[in-house]
Amino acid sequence: MPDGKKKKMDKIVSLCKRRGFIFQSSEIYGGIGGFWDYGPLGVELKRNIKDVWWRDMVTGHDDTSTPVGAATPYEMVGIDASIVMHPQVWKASGHYDLFHDMLVDCRTCKARFRADQIPTSPCSRKPSKHPGEHTDCDLTEPREFNLMFKTFIGALIDPTAEAYLRPETAQGIFVNFKNVLSTARVKLPFGIAQIGKAFRNEITPRNYTFRSREFEQMEIEFFCSPDSSQGWYDYWCARRFTWYTSLGLKSERLRLRDHAASERAHYSCGTADIEYAFPFLAEGEFGELEGVSHRGDFDLRSHMEGKLVRDGDILKVELDEHGRASHAGSGKDLSYFDDATQTKFIPHVIEPSAGVDRAMLAFLCEAYTEDAIPDDKGVPQERVVLKLHPRIAPVKVAVFPLIKKDGMPEIAGEIYRELKLKWNVSYDQKGSIGRRYRRQDESGTPFCITVDHQTLIDGTVTLRDRNTTVQERVNSANLVSLIEERL
Ligand code: ATP
């Protein structure tokens, strides 16, 4: 990683610790690799990202509108499935057999690397940069390693009690397809959304929260007829890309990359990744924020018939040596009857699958800004400011009394309580006013309100904008509507 980029990443990590966005998990015991805790500001930011996603994709979605490039209006509903599911789910879906990484161990330094990441993984033996480059490096052949966390259900610790923590939230949606269809009165095309934890025993968790072992996903399974699926795939690629730009990611650091056919899973008819140029990556490299995949009827069919494999152009049930399905499906009918055409078919699926933690990291990296602003005497002072989009900013407004007397704390307290009915608002009366502004700038708070001597005379307060630092005098009676307008 170039020095400048490393420095920027180090500064972001240190700000996240200092301001209480992200802590190492179990830090007082020395930490645990691949697990992270979100502090008071981090939990707000993360919650806002999830809420905004849910609002934009599910509850706020207008199902009477006809999206560009697609012929029919559609509905969106949500579910919240359990983390531990029937082990057969993972066998039919293919995860049990296929969710592997190829690993390479170094017999000299005992480090373990993903075979596909050897060219970018750091090697601990100087001056070698990557594993295998030093004469001491003694790498094994690539070996398979299952990424699913295993657990046991009930008191017995034997193979009949084995279960897995879900490595993705998607399967919880597929196995509930029929339940949703028969209870929510939805008709094709429609989407089911879910936000929840997923677990992967990543070999080399790294790049801060980018590759964790426990993380959250925001996934949509969008069900449609086979003949409309390509149009919906294009629609979702565009819709999800714009979601990130609408929340402040600059399009020059974001890209939608189509997978080459050789890179796609065997069942996929099309996959594109939405990628961001994270500062921890080398120049020109991008990291995946979200995958949008056209999965055909693979998932519903797998849960009907059993684990599918590709044979030339067709997907067929994998058979064992006795000619039975190697991993049986549920045997339930997950097809759809279309009233309009009087036809029965297995719906096709478009899956936009996003990571909450990666989105949060991208928003933090994009928002991190260093600039200089003049102090009271006009001397430029360096500051760090998180220019987070107001919709996701952890705290929307901070309220300060200029000094702790003359009735200012009482008036500021009243304003604080009034605004708190609507937003997450912070009250601060400690330290110089400049220092209080700095604290809020580093937390990404879009607006600061200060009650001062003038307030006592005419009821006006100053309203300071985080990005421009411009302060204007406004009537304290109009604060709610004014801030509402600007947020
Ligand atoms: P990668 O190639 O980076 O391992 P993936 O292609 O396996 O990712 P998907 O299975 O498509 O990822 O998962 C969907 C989304 O879940 C990803 O785009 C990412 O945002 C998030 N995600 C996946 N693995 C992790 C992880 N280990 N830590 C944090 N987020 C993750």
Side-chain angles (χ1 to χ4, degrees):
M1 192 193 312
D3 260 10
K5 284 187 146 212
K6 181 170 182 331
K7 264 200 205 121
K8 177 166 180 194
M9 201 55 219
D10 288 348
K11 286 177 184 171
I12 292 169
V13 171
S14 127
L15 172 81
C16 285
K17 172 81 198 288
R18 184 166 80 242
R19 285 284 161 234
F21 281 96
I22 302 172
F23 306 127
Q24 210 182 0
S25 164
S26 321
E27 192 185 287
I28 59 169
Y29 288 100
I32 169 168
F35 297 91
W36 298 94
D37 295 341
Y38 290 88
L41 285 182
V43 75
E44 295 296 336
L45 175 57
K46 202 173 175 209
R47 186 170 294 235
N48 290 344
I49 292 169
K50 290 187 281 183
D51 286 352
V52 165
W53 182 88
W54 194 265
R55 175 97 200 120
D56 291 349
M57 297 298 128
V58 188
T59 52
H61 160 71
D62 169 12
D63 52 48
T64 60
S65 71
T66 302
V68 182
T72 339
Y74 65 93
E75 285 189 76
M76 291 292 301
V77 293
I79 65 158
D80 186 12
S82 64
I83 285 173
V84 175
M85 300 167 72
H86 195 295
Q88 201 61 30
V89 168
W90 307 111
K91 292 186 176 162
S93 71
H95 286 82
Y96 180 79
D97 290 333
L98 297 174
F99 203 53
H100 291 99
D101 268 348
M102 298 304 283
L103 290 192
V104 171
D105 287 305
C106 178
R107 295 186 190 94
T108 312
C109 63
K110 311 291 178 223
R112 185 165 263 191
F113 310 96
R114 254 172 67 169
D116 63 335
Q117 290 176 356
I118 295 266
T120 53
S121 297
C123 174
S124 59
R125 303 186 89 72
K126 301 262 171 324
S128 145
K129 287 208 167 62
H130 306 298
E133 287 178 1
H134 197 278
T135 47
D136 286 354
C137 294
D138 182 9
L139 303 182
T140 64
E141 284 303 304
R143 292 183 288 208
E144 280 191 304
F145 178 87
N146 194 305
L147 294 181
M148 283 198 293
F149 276 97
K150 196 185 277 183
T151 185
F152 296 90
I153 299 175
L156 279 184
I157 299 202
D158 73 15
T160 60
E162 273 174 17
Y164 302 91
L165 303 190
R166 64 181 178 199
E168 60 171 36
T169 59
Q171 299 305 321
I173 299 181
F174 294 125
V175 300
N176 277 296
F177 172 71
K178 245 340 206 293
N179 282 337
V180 173
L181 196 61
S182 58
T183 55
R185 296 164 49 86
V186 280
K187 282 200 176 341
L188 245 52
F190 71 92
I192 307 180
Q194 174 167 223
I195 299 179
K197 289 264 185 181
F199 302 81
R200 294 184 191 178
N201 202 355
E202 297 279 0
I203 314 314
T204 42
R206 63 195 169 120
N207 289 336
Y208 204 27
T209 57
F210 181 84
R211 188 169 301 288
S212 311
R213 290 183 165 127
E214 174 177 341
F215 54 96
E216 268 187 282
Q217 290 185 313
M218 309 183 280
E219 294 196 296
I220 294 170
E221 302 306 331
F222 189 79
F223 300 95
C224 56
S225 64
D227 58 353
S228 67
S229 54
Q230 193 54 42
W232 285 112
Y233 170 67
D234 297 341
Y235 164 77
W236 279 106
C237 285
R239 175 125 197 254
R240 292 301 307 144
F241 189 88
T242 350
W243 187 76
Y244 291 101
T245 52
S246 75
L247 290 170
L249 294 193
K250 292 218 179 54
S251 48
E252 60 265 29
R253 281 198 208 102
L254 203 62
R255 74 174 183 194
L256 182 74
R257 186 180 66 81
D258 262 325
H259 281 207
S262 58
E263 207 186 336
R264 292 202 296 256
H266 68 95
Y267 48 79
S268 170
C269 318
T271 300
D273 285 344
I274 299 173
E275 301 178 329
Y276 180 73
F278 285 98
F280 50 74
L281 298 171
E283 209 54 46
E285 278 184 14
F286 287 74
E288 176 181 331
L289 284 182
E290 171 162 351
V292 184
S293 180
H294 181 330
R295 303 175 63 92
D297 64 1
F298 174 79
D299 305 276
L300 291 176
R301 246 186 86 196
S302 307
H303 288 302
M304 287 171 71
E305 302 171 3
K307 188 188 159 200
L308 300 175
V309 284
R310 175 164 291 283
D311 183 2
D313 279 348
I314 56 164
L315 287 173
K316 59 180 201 182
V317 175
E318 185 182 78
L319 303 178
D320 64 13
E321 67 272 25
H322 309 293
R324 292 185 296 248
S326 64
H327 294 302
S330 64
K332 301 285 185 300
D333 181 5
L334 303 180
S335 59
Y336 177 85
F337 184 76
D338 187 44
D339 292 329
T341 56
Q342 293 287 302
T343 51
K344 195 173 167 195
F345 54 86
I346 304 174
H348 274 200
V349 169
I350 311 301
E351 178 188 81
S353 170
V356 181
D357 311 73
R358 286 190 189 174
M360 171 163 162
L361 190 56
F363 288 130
L364 281 167
C365 292
E366 185 78 33
Y368 183 92
T369 314
E370 290 170 358
D371 61 12
I373 50 167
D375 66 8
D376 302 345
K377 298 178 194 86
V379 182
Q381 298 290 326
E382 281 182 10
R383 76 161 179 164
V384 169
V385 52
L386 276 188
K387 294 186 173 173
L388 290 168
H389 191 285
R391 287 184 81 195
I392 56 172
V395 176
K396 307 294 186 217
V397 191
V399 185
F400 314 142
L402 182 64
I403 49 173
K404 279 190 275 182
K405 54 183 188 183
D406 298 341
M408 291 184 206
E410 288 74 13
I411 300 174
E414 251 174 60
I415 294 174
Y416 165 73
R417 279 186 292 278
E418 187 192 3
L419 300 182
K420 206 157 175 63
L421 295 174
K422 283 196 91 81
W423 302 291
N424 190 20
V425 181
S426 147
Y427 178 88
D428 188 2
Q429 57 177 28
K430 286 192 265 335
S432 75
I433 196 76
R435 210 170 277 154
R436 281 181 264 171
Y437 283 144
R438 280 318 92 75
R439 253 200 303 268
Q440 296 303 327
D441 288 344
E442 285 199 352
S443 306
T445 309
F447 299 107
C448 291
I449 291 167
T450 304
V451 170
D452 55 16
H453 293 99
Q454 188 71 25
T455 315
L456 309 177
I457 300 164
D458 60 10
T460 60
V461 292
T462 64
L463 181 66
R464 174 185 180 271
D465 180 285
R466 174 198 65 198
N467 291 4
T468 60
T469 75
V470 167
Q471 297 184 32
E472 55 186 310
R473 283 216 84 82
V474 299
N475 192 327
S476 60
N478 303 335
L479 278 170
V480 171
S481 56
L482 197 68
I483 291 169
E484 198 150 44
E485 204 175 279
R486 297 192 186 182
L487 282 175

